[in-house]
Amino acid sequence: MNRKTVLLTGSTGLVGSMILLKMQDSDELYTVGRDKRADIKNERRYFKIDLRDSFEFNQVVKQILPDVIIHCAAQIPSASHPDSKELGNINEQIDASVFKAVSQTSCKLIYMSSTIVY
């Protein structure tokens, strides 16, 4: 069986961290998130970046050349981002970076979301 290289966005969030937990022993898994976490087993396969920066994300994608991007990243309401319009703009920028990277490669996209993003 041909193993696929996977890039997981939002690996420090609720959904992404559960996917990471199930896949963390895979040699083909790379992760990105905005926060550093101590429980990520393979630190060299983790990239701490702001996904709103499409140039930075594209650099990671070019380096990894994933077959699949599992996109779980989103900004959710918090003390620093309570405004829904601001959250919508942030999430739009995050999604645009991921969609741009997918359109410039031959990788597949699995888009995960929740009602909090809407």
Side-chain angles (χ1 to χ4, degrees):
M1 185 156 100
N2 201 4
R3 301 202 52 142
K4 303 290 185 193
T5 301
V6 176
L7 175 59
L8 173 64
T9 70
S11 63
T12 59
L14 179 66
V15 175
S17 64
M18 292 296 105
I19 294 171
L20 174 61
L21 185 63
K22 295 293 184 184
M23 296 181 67
Q24 67 184 342
D25 292 328
S26 170
D27 289 337
E28 294 81 21
L29 177 67
Y30 294 84
T31 60
V32 296
R34 69 175 155 250
D35 302 314
K36 204 67 160 167
R37 286 187 46 172
D39 62 344
I40 294 175
K41 280 187 174 182
N42 198 337
E43 290 290 323
R44 72 179 181 82
R45 294 185 184 269
Y46 177 81
F47 297 86
K48 181 181 181 239
I49 62 171
D50 183 345
L51 285 172
R52 293 178 290 176
D53 184 339
S54 64
F55 177 79
E56 186 176 17
F57 183 64
N58 276 322
Q59 293 300 104
V60 170
V61 170
K62 286 178 185 176
Q63 179 180 342
I64 296 169
L65 298 173
D67 297 299
V68 178
I69 295 176
I70 302 175
H71 179 39
C72 301
Q75 179 68 52
I76 59 173
S78 66
S80 61
H81 297 289
D83 181 88
S84 61
K85 185 174 182 178
E86 179 186 359
L87 287 176
N89 290 335
I90 291 170
N91 287 321
E92 184 178 340
Q93 292 170 347
I94 290 170
D95 289 347
S97 290
V98 174
F99 299 155
K100 180 178 179 183
V102 169
S103 72
Q104 294 176 349
T105 66
S106 60
C107 71
K108 305 291 185 209
L109 173 66
I110 299 174
Y111 184 83
M112 307 292 286
S113 190
S114 67
T115 57
I116 197 73
V117 175
Y118 307 124

